[in-house]
């Protein structure tokens, strides 16, 4: 296993939103674990960075939170996507796909990939 | 949108930070517990599981900080910290803070209050749409550069001009109105049909005048002012279409003007009627009778200068066409605002300058206080710098302190300004506000004034935050940590402080010179030769109803009987009437011609007054030659006149005018009168106007239904007024009386006296504040300099310097600053007094007495201010001084 990659600038929010879309309602620890798992343990994620990102998304109205009890009976704050959040996710996904497609074209030559 | 919401929530979040952090702590606790549970389940020991979870979190404190920063606005948080630190600093030094805040708010209050007037009077004087297109249009003659228009001239000007979209005229008039409390004279205005349309104001109710409604053939209609509608008709909506009787003539009410409508050239009119120009009014159809003022709206793209040239050309053409009537008649076209505020503009600008100078002195004083303080805070700053505060962070602290100081002073200053402007407004006689300055009605702290205050605040903040910063950047910050190394920086500070003091003294000089000149000019104004004794005179104006007193004999009889009744009242010495009160204005003139002298058509223009026989004896005006009028000199007797000395000086130098006959320009037989007397130059004009030749006619040979009653009494002239009114109404309840006052009050409350008095008082007040402030500034600099030089002085004295020499040395330092300040100030005053020239009366701008007096006063003040520190320097104990260092 080589060196782990840091989370790319600006993608953490997208990953959080996508995670919440798939799993419905989840607490901060669960979100952090999920992101790391999905990355196949390639990403090095400080779990703590998830919290300011969650606060920012909440301030922007993309997610809402409420207190609940976790599967192993611990008190935790659960986050859930809002309509605004869904829209933001859709938009950012599109942007990201566009960006990667452009980069891919750069890296693999200018011909039509088809 | 998204960002805005986030920013707002962060800002709001600052106030619920505690709760949020508590919640976050329990969230993190849950996070760690879950993670530890998982780790234990994966086979770690409890200790290992906890350590790993913390590492994975990326450090508890760092996470908390990141979360905290995201939750609020760090910039504002630091600001709040700085503010509370600054507030503590200011709180710890109540002496400094109170002095600074008081000085600043005084300066701010003065300039903001004056600016409120400037804003109301100079920036928003005309409450009409597109006010810049409105011009004041009149004729002009040599004696009166701004004269009145005659009706035939107006018609020609209106027809021939190519500059105006519309052109109308107005003239003041009065009506007798039947009210529940009896007959009341009310002010009215006669206008041509398009008057309101030209101004661009539509009636609130009803309609404007129709085209042609100002002709004799049109029915008589009237538009009410809002206040008349409220006061006389209780604001009833159905008033339009009703009839109202004005001086016995029926008028139909066709409209009501809005509450906001005002007409500053003459704003007291309650009833606006149309001209109805006719030969019945002897004046209307005569080209030589000038009683109208024009107001016009220029066509797009036409300048005032172009319109003036246009009118002048027409005036010249009319002069050629009607040489008898229009010789020497020019034209005036000026912005309407000039007519409204032209008189008070220089005074307001002067006052604003005075207030600005005072503000400058206050700022300079506070800035030097800040300098002294930054000096004493060198150690604190140095410690903070050594502990790692960046220069930017330190500078920010100073800016914050400056902001806090200015903000507090600004609030206090604005509050004071509000009350000051209210008070100043109350000092203006109410009639004068209503009549001539309606634009002051909504004087207040409006948007403009707030912007002005904000500008001052910004400027002051810049000065106060920069002063200590500049000071700090001069010396090495670390230098402050080492003892006794302040020699060089002390010298530098003394230089800045000294320059500020010179500036301050110079400013105080300018203010004092201004106040001195204005005070002197006001004194001159109140001591002009009246050539009558103004005390113990009650005055009021009387209007006989035209219907009852239609014939000359009726008017004569009524006045004689009235005067008889009044002169037997207890305390009354004598009673007389005149057509125009003395000290009113130069105007109501006649053009005369001398029988038996060659006539070149020139206008010999003289003031004309109709007075009763004992008028001059009532006024106590001296008879120089000939005789006064005799009691039975009416229309059946040969026509006679009395002239004043100015008349003799101009038309009969070194000759005896008695027996000479004068007449109108055509020498029509019934206009010929004989000069039977010469009186002293009774002041007919306003106090600051020149005395013109005057001709007095016997009132009974030229009877009018309107006249001014003057009664000399032995008792208090004010208490007599109700008795006078009652006596007149007893005689005939239909007679209108108004403007009851005393001659002394009439003179003292005249606009001229008011403007001179108020400007003298206000600038005097500014100067009175500036003088002690300047002294404090000088004292501060010298005292500080002495405190800095304690050791040096100690050494000098230890080496044998005499106390007197030390004292003299300090006094010399203060003296040098004072001399430079005063000289610079005197030079500046000479320039500044150019601004004063137009408001001075009877005083030269370089009045040596004033300049010398101010210089002397300031020199004494400076001596006093330096004496105290000099004494202290001389009493320094050399041993103490050396030991303390």
């Amino acid at each position: 296993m080589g060196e782990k990659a840091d989370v790319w600038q600006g993608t953490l929010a997208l990953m959080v939103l996508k995670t919440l879309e798939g799993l419905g309602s989840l607490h901060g620890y669960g979100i952090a674990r999920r992101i790391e798992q999905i990355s196949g343990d390639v990403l090095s994620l400080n779990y703590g960075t998830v919290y300011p990102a969650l606060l920012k998304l909440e301030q922007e109205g993309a997610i809402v939170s409420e207190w609940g009890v976790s599967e192993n009976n611990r008190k935790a704050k659960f986050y859930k996507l809002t309509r605004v959040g869904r829209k933001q996710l859709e938009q950012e996904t599109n942007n990201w796909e566009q960006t990667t497609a452009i980069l891919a074209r750069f890296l693999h030559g200018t011909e039509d990939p088809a | 949108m998204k960002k805005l919401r986030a920013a707002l929530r962060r800002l709001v979040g600052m106030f619920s930070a505690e709760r949020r952090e508590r919640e976050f702590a329990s969230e993190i606790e849950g996070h760690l517990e879950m993670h530890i549970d998982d780790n234990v389940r994966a086979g770690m020991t409890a200790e290992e599981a906890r350590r790993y979870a913390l590492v994975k979190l990326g450090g508890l404190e760092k996470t908390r900080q990141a979360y905290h920063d995201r939750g609020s606005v760090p910039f504002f948080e630091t600001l709040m910290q700085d503010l509370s630190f600054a507030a503590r600093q200011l709180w710890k030094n109540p002496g400094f803070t109170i002095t600074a805040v008081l000085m600043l708010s005084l300066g701010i209050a003065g300039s903001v209050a004056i600016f409120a007037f400037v804003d109301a009077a100079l920036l928003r004087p005309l409450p009409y749409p597109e006010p810049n297109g409105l011009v004041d249009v009149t004729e002009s003659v040599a004696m009166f550069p701004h004269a009145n228009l005659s009706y035939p001239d107006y018609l020609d000007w209106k027809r021939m001009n190519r500059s105006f979209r519309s052109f109308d005229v107005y003239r003041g008039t009065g009506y007798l109105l039947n009210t529940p409390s009896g007959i009341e004279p009310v002010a009215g205005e006669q206008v041509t049909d398009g008057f309101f349309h030209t101004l661009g104001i539509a009636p609130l109710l009803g309609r404007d005048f129709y085209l042609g409604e100002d002709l004799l053939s049109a029915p008589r209609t009237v538009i009410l002012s809002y206040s008349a509608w409220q006061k006389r008709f209780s604001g009833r909506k159905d008033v339009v279409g009703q009839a109202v009787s004005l001086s016995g003539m029926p008028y139909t009410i066709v409209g009501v003007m809005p509450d906001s409508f005002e007409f500053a050239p003459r704003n007291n009119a309650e009833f606006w009627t149309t001209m109805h120009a006719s030969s019945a009014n002897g004046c209307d159809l005569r080209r030589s009778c000038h009683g109208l003022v024009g107001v016009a709206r220029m066509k797009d793209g036409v300048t005032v200068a172009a319109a003036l040239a246009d009118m002048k050309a027409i005036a010249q053409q009319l002069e050629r066409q009607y040489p008898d009537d229009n010789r020497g008649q020019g034209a005036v076209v000026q912005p309407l605002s000039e007519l409204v505020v032209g008189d008070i503009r220089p005074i307001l600008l002067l006052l604003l300058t005075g207030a600005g100078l005072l503000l400058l002195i206050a700022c300079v004083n506070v800035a030097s206080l800040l300098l002294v303080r930054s000096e004493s805070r060198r150690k604190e700053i140095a410690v903070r710098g050594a502990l790692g505060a960046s220069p930017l962070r330190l500078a920010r602290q100073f800016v914050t302190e400056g902001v806090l100081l200015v903000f507090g002073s600004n609030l206090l200053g604005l509050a004071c300004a509000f009350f000051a402007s209210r008070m100043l407004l109350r000092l203006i006689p109410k009639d004068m506000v209503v009549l001539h300055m309606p634009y002051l009605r909504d004087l207040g702290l409006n948007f403009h004034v707030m912007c002005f205050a904000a500008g001052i605040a910004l400027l002051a903040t810049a000065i106060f935050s920069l002063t200590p910063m500049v000071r700090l950047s001069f010396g090495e910050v670390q230098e402050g940590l080492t003892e006794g190394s302040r020699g060089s920086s002390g010298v530098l500070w003394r230089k800045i402080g000294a320059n500020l003091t010179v500036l301050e003294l110079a400013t105080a000089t300018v203010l004092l010179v201004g106040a001195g000149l204005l005070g002197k000019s006001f004194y001159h104004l109140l001591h002009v030769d009246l050539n009558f004794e103004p005390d113990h005179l009650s005055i009021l104006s009387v209007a006989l109803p035209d219907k009852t007193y239609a014939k000359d004999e009726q008017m004569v009889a009524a006045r004689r009987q009235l005067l008889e009744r009044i002169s037997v009242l207890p305390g009354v010495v004598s009673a007389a009437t005149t057509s125009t009160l003395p000290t009113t204005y130069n105007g109501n003139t006649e053009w005369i011609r001398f029988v038996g002298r060659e006539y070149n058509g020139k206008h010999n223009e003289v003031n004309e007054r109709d007075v009763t026989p004992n008028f001059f004896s009532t006024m106590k005006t001296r008879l120089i030659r000939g005789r006064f009028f005799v009691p039975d000199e009416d229309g059946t007797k040969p026509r006679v006149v009395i002239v004043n000395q100015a008349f003799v000086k101009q038309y009969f130098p070194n000759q005896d005018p008695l027996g000479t006959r004068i007449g109108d320009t055509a020498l029509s037989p019934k206009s010929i009168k004989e000069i039977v007397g010469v009186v002293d130059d009774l002041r007919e004009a306003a106090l600051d106007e020149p005395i013109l030749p005057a001709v007095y006619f016997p009132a009974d040979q030229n009877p009018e239904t309107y006249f001014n009653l003057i009664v000399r009494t032995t008792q208090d002239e004010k208490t007599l007024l109700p008795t006078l009114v009652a006596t007149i109404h007893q005689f005939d309840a239909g007679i209108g009386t108004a403007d009851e006052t005393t001659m002394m009050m009439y003179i003292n409350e005249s606009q001229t006296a008011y403007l001179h008095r108020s400007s003298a008082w206000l600038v005097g007040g500014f100067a009175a504040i500036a003088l002690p402030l300047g002294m404090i500034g000088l004292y501060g600099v010298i005292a500080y300099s002495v405190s800095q030089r304690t050791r040096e002085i100690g050494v000098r004295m230890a080496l044998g310097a005499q106390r007197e020499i030390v004292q003299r040395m300090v006094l010399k330092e203060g003296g040098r600053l004072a001399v430079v300040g005063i000289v610079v100030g005197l030079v500046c005053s000479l320039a500044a007094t150019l601004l004063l020239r137009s408001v001075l009366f009877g005083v030269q701008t370089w009045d040596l007495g004033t300049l010398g007096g101010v210089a002397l006063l300031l020199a004494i003040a400076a001596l006093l201010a330096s004496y105290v520190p000099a004494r202290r320097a001389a009493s320094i104990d050399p041993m103490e001084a050396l030991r303390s260092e």
Side-chain angles (χ1 to χ4, degrees):
Chain A
M1 197 161 81
E3 227 165 75
K4 291 188 178 184
D6 281 333
V7 178
W8 301 290
Q9 190 83 39
T11 55
L12 184 59
L14 180 56
M15 287 192 266
V16 168
L17 289 175
K18 189 68 191 173
T19 307
L20 285 179
E21 190 200 27
L23 296 180
S25 166
L26 198 58
H27 45 71
Y29 171 65
I31 295 170
R33 280 293 295 266
R34 179 76 183 163
I35 290 174
E36 208 168 40
Q37 274 170 10
I38 288 191
S39 80
D41 284 336
V42 178
L43 279 181
S44 131
L45 181 69
N46 275 339
Y47 287 4
T49 55
V50 169
Y51 288 98
L54 282 170
L55 181 58
K56 178 170 182 272
L57 285 170
E58 197 174 1
Q59 283 167 344
E60 289 171 356
I63 57 174
V64 288
S65 67
E66 74 186 338
W67 287 95
V69 178
S70 74
E71 53 279 16
N72 44 7
N73 232 357
R74 297 291 187 187
K75 203 179 149 209
K77 210 179 197 179
F78 283 77
Y79 296 89
K80 202 164 67 180
L81 268 188
T82 63
R83 263 221 331 265
V84 176
R86 265 173 224 291
K87 218 183 224 164
Q88 191 180 339
L89 174 62
E90 197 179 316
Q91 214 169 37
E92 287 194 17
T93 310
N94 284 343
N95 287 348
W96 186 250
E97 277 171 354
Q98 212 173 2
T99 312
T100 46
I102 291 169
L103 263 179
R105 258 185 278 172
F106 265 110
L107 299 176
H108 303 295
T110 51
E111 299 109 85
D112 201 9
Chain B
M1 183 61 213
K2 201 174 70 182
K3 287 221 170 100
L4 185 72
R5 173 156 49 177
L8 271 177
R9 293 186 61 167
R10 287 175 80 163
L11 211 58
V12 172
M14 278 173 57
F15 301 100
S16 54
E18 217 171 300
R19 192 176 57 89
R20 193 182 55 244
E21 297 241 313
R22 248 196 339 267
E23 277 199 21
F24 180 65
S26 61
E27 188 174 11
I28 284 293
E29 198 187 324
H31 172 107
L32 285 173
E33 279 167 351
M34 283 188 277
H35 200 171
I36 291 168
D37 285 352
D38 280 359
N39 287 347
V40 168
R41 222 173 294 135
M44 294 185 198
T45 64
E47 183 62 28
E48 248 182 326
R50 179 169 181 80
R51 198 173 54 79
Y52 185 72
L54 277 173
V55 169
K56 201 59 197 155
L57 188 66
L60 201 55
E61 199 43 50
K62 209 172 142 195
T63 306
R64 194 174 288 150
Q65 188 59 46
Y67 190 82
H68 173 90
D69 284 355
R70 180 64 221 180
S72 66
V73 196
F75 174 81
F76 280 111
E77 282 216 328
T78 323
L79 185 68
M80 292 309 264
Q81 286 164 11
D82 280 359
L83 275 178
S84 75
F85 182 72
R88 276 204 307 280
Q89 282 292 330
L90 294 176
W91 187 253
K92 271 198 318 204
N93 281 298
F96 162 78
T97 309
I98 292 174
T99 318
V101 167
L102 279 187
M103 271 197 274
L104 265 185
S105 28
L106 202 68
I108 291 173
S111 42
V112 170
I114 301 288
F115 180 79
F117 278 83
V118 171
D119 173 59
L122 304 189
L123 302 184
R124 316 175 285 134
L126 300 179
Y128 312 119
E130 293 173 54
N132 293 335
L134 288 171
V135 284
D136 165 58
V137 187
T138 60
E139 295 186 44
S140 74
V141 289
M143 197 174 271
F144 301 113
H146 184 265
N148 291 340
L149 266 164
S150 70
Y151 190 70
D153 282 348
Y154 157 67
L155 292 180
D156 285 335
W157 284 25
K158 184 173 172 144
R159 184 172 46 82
M160 293 156 82
N161 88 81
R162 277 164 303 175
S163 309
F164 301 141
R165 196 183 304 159
S166 60
F167 181 21
D168 288 274
V169 289
Y170 57 93
R171 75 168 156 229
T173 180
Y175 296 109
L176 285 177
L177 186 72
N178 256 318
T179 70
S181 57
I183 297 283
E184 211 179 298
V186 294
E189 200 87 354
Q190 289 187 328
V191 298
T192 44
D193 50 17
F195 179 78
F196 293 114
H197 179 75
T198 296
L199 292 182
I201 304 289
L204 174 73
L205 273 187
R207 62 165 175 89
D208 198 349
F209 292 124
Y210 288 140
L211 191 66
E213 210 163 352
D214 54 358
L215 299 177
L216 186 59
S217 54
R220 291 182 180 270
T221 51
V222 59
I223 291 181
L224 305 178
S225 78
Y226 188 87
S227 62
W229 181 46
Q230 292 296 325
K231 194 167 78 181
R232 315 259 180 219
F233 301 90
S234 347
R236 283 199 316 273
K237 286 273 185 336
D238 61 352
V239 74
V240 173
Q242 285 188 11
V244 59
S245 164
L246 298 177
S247 299
M249 297 291 268
Y251 283 78
T252 309
I253 298 170
V254 295
V256 176
M257 290 312 284
D259 190 18
S260 58
F261 174 72
E262 62 186 52
F263 189 61
R266 193 187 160 101
N267 196 47
N268 62 342
E270 294 190 40
F271 297 91
W272 295 81
T273 57
T274 50
M275 283 291 172
H276 278 84
S278 72
S279 53
N281 176 343
C283 189
D284 279 352
L285 302 183
R286 252 166 55 212
R287 205 171 272 279
S288 60
C289 188
H290 298 254
L292 303 170
V293 190
V295 57
R297 192 174 277 283
M298 295 184 294
K299 287 180 183 160
D300 290 334
V302 175
T303 61
V304 175
L308 177 61
D310 188 10
M311 292 304 120
K312 277 190 168 158
I314 298 174
Q316 273 168 15
Q317 192 179 331
L318 291 178
E319 191 171 354
R320 281 193 298 274
Q321 215 169 334
Y322 308 100
D324 277 351
D325 293 323
N326 278 41
R327 185 185 294 267
Q329 299 281 351
V332 175
V333 177
Q334 60 178 1
L336 186 59
S337 58
E338 191 62 32
L339 176 72
V340 175
V341 296
D343 288 345
I344 61 163
R345 180 183 293 126
I347 288 180
L348 278 181
L349 291 181
L350 172 84
L351 292 181
L352 192 62
T353 314
L357 289 179
L358 186 65
L359 180 65
L360 180 69
I361 293 188
C363 281
V364 166
N365 257 351
V366 175
S368 37
L369 277 182
L370 276 171
L371 274 174
V372 174
R373 226 164 74 87
S374 76
E375 192 68 21
S376 62
R377 279 173 70 185
R378 288 175 66 74
K379 229 170 268 177
E380 171 211 326
I381 303 298
V383 169
R384 288 181 69 188
L387 289 178
S390 66
L392 200 70
R393 190 74 185 69
L394 287 177
R396 200 172 146 175
Q397 180 64 45
F398 280 118
V399 176
T400 312
E401 280 181 35
V403 168
L404 199 63
L405 203 62
V406 172
F407 186 73
S409 315
N410 219 17
L411 280 189
L412 190 61
L414 274 179
C416 296
F418 177 77
F419 289 110
S421 58
R422 292 280 119 190
M423 210 184 68
L424 288 178
L425 190 59
R426 205 159 308 147
L427 288 182
I428 307 176
K430 196 155 174 289
D431 290 347
M432 205 192 294
V433 174
V434 174
L435 189 59
H436 297 293
M437 307 172 173
Y439 43 80
L440 291 183
R441 203 164 57 162
D442 44 20
L443 177 87
L445 301 185
N446 58 24
F447 180 69
H448 281 172
V449 180
M450 285 304 184
C451 284
F452 179 77
I456 291 182
L458 218 65
L459 208 72
T461 310
I463 295 175
F464 299 148
S465 39
L466 279 177
T467 332
M469 268 157 67
V470 167
R471 170 68 197 86
L472 277 183
S473 64
F474 276 135
E476 286 286 306
V477 169
Q478 273 79 9
E479 206 183 288
L481 279 174
T482 52
E483 198 55 63
S485 60
R486 57 189 173 201
S488 64
S489 54
V491 169
L492 191 70
W493 182 82
R494 285 216 303 272
K495 267 189 189 152
I496 304 177
N499 285 334
L500 288 181
T501 310
V502 167
L503 177 65
E504 211 167 44
L505 288 174
T507 315
T509 312
V510 172
L511 276 174
L512 281 168
V513 168
L517 289 177
L518 286 169
K520 213 165 179 176
S521 127
F522 181 56
Y523 179 85
H524 278 276
L525 190 73
L526 284 191
H527 290 83
V528 294
D529 281 336
L530 294 173
N531 292 316
F532 67 88
E533 286 175 23
D535 56 318
H536 287 96
L537 289 177
S538 318
I539 54 181
L540 61 94
S541 58
V542 179
L544 305 176
D546 293 326
K547 277 207 157 167
T548 334
Y549 305 95
K551 293 201 185 100
D552 283 2
E553 303 83 66
Q554 290 170 321
M555 296 180 214
V556 171
R559 174 167 34 209
R560 285 184 176 174
Q561 283 163 30
L562 260 182
L563 287 178
E564 260 165 44
R565 285 189 180 212
I566 287 166
S567 44
V568 298
L569 289 173
V572 170
V573 179
S574 67
T577 77
T578 173
S579 51
T580 306
L581 282 173
T583 72
T584 301
Y585 68 125
N586 274 329
N588 265 11
T589 52
E590 284 262 312
W591 293 341
I592 55 156
R593 200 178 141 174
F594 299 92
V595 176
R597 274 197 204 180
E598 228 175 294
Y599 182 56
N600 57 2
K602 205 176 130 216
H603 287 156
N604 298 319
E605 193 149 6
V606 296
N607 271 331
E608 185 268 323
R609 305 285 187 263
D610 304 320
V611 301
T612 47
N614 53 356
F615 171 73
F616 297 107
S617 55
T618 304
M619 300 297 290
K620 297 203 176 170
T621 293
R622 238 162 17 109
L623 178 73
I624 309 284
R625 304 178 65 87
R627 64 166 174 93
F628 284 148
F629 297 131
V630 290
D632 64 344
E633 231 153 19
D634 59 13
T636 60
K637 302 279 157 43
R639 293 179 162 264
V640 291
V641 294
I642 292 174
V643 299
N644 67 357
Q645 297 239 69
F647 185 99
V648 178
K649 207 175 284 167
Q650 177 153 351
Y651 299 112
F652 294 93
N654 308 318
Q655 292 170 50
D656 184 3
L658 292 188
T660 319
R661 287 180 305 149
I662 62 173
D664 63 13
T665 46
L667 282 186
S668 57
K670 64 175 190 165
S671 75
I672 307 289
K673 312 155 189 95
E674 187 187 330
I675 298 176
V676 296
V678 178
V679 290
D680 210 352
D681 283 330
L682 170 68
R683 178 159 287 274
E684 295 288 352
L687 300 180
D688 58 352
E689 285 180 55
I691 290 182
L692 296 190
V695 171
Y696 298 90
F697 295 173
D700 289 347
Q701 292 189 342
N702 204 16
E704 290 280 348
T705 50
Y706 177 90
F707 48 83
N708 299 283
L709 181 67
I710 301 178
V711 181
R712 184 169 289 281
T713 84
T714 50
Q715 62 190 73
D716 179 3
E717 63 266 39
K718 197 154 190 212
T719 57
L720 183 68
L721 290 167
T723 322
L724 288 179
V725 173
T727 311
I728 293 168
H729 286 156
Q730 232 169 18
F731 173 74
D732 180 350
I735 296 178
T737 57
D739 310 322
E740 300 94 24
T741 184
T742 69
M743 186 55 87
M744 289 305 271
M745 278 167 68
Y746 185 74
I747 294 173
N748 284 327
E749 287 184 9
S750 69
Q751 195 168 355
T752 321
Y754 174 75
L755 289 179
H756 278 83
R757 179 172 49 222
S758 56
S759 49
W761 273 113
L762 281 174
V763 174
F766 295 150
I769 301 170
L771 182 64
L773 285 187
M775 275 176 79
I776 292 172
L778 182 66
Y779 167 79
V781 166
I782 304 296
Y784 183 74
S785 148
V786 167
S787 76
Q788 289 289 294
R789 293 167 66 190
T790 306
R791 187 161 66 160
E792 177 208 321
I793 293 171
V795 172
R796 279 170 189 255
M797 291 174 85
L799 291 177
Q802 296 294 310
R803 291 191 186 280
E804 293 79 62
I805 291 179
V806 170
Q807 190 165 338
R808 207 176 303 146
M809 180 183 78
V810 175
L811 278 179
K812 226 158 110 186
E813 188 181 341
R816 198 174 48 79
L817 289 182
V819 167
V820 176
I822 293 171
V823 169
V824 170
L826 287 180
V827 172
C828 292
S829 329
L830 283 183
T833 46
L834 289 181
L835 184 75
L836 280 174
R837 205 164 38 185
S838 61
V839 293
L840 288 185
F841 172 75
V843 185
Q844 286 294 317
T845 48
W846 36 44
D847 182 69
L848 282 180
T850 308
L851 292 178
V854 166
L856 190 69
L857 179 67
L858 270 174
I860 293 172
L863 196 70
L864 276 177
S866 347
Y867 181 70
V868 179
R871 271 287 297 276
R872 195 181 309 145
S875 61
I876 284 173
D877 177 355
M879 296 321 288
E880 278 290 307
L882 291 176
R883 205 176 304 138
S884 73
E885 286 287 321

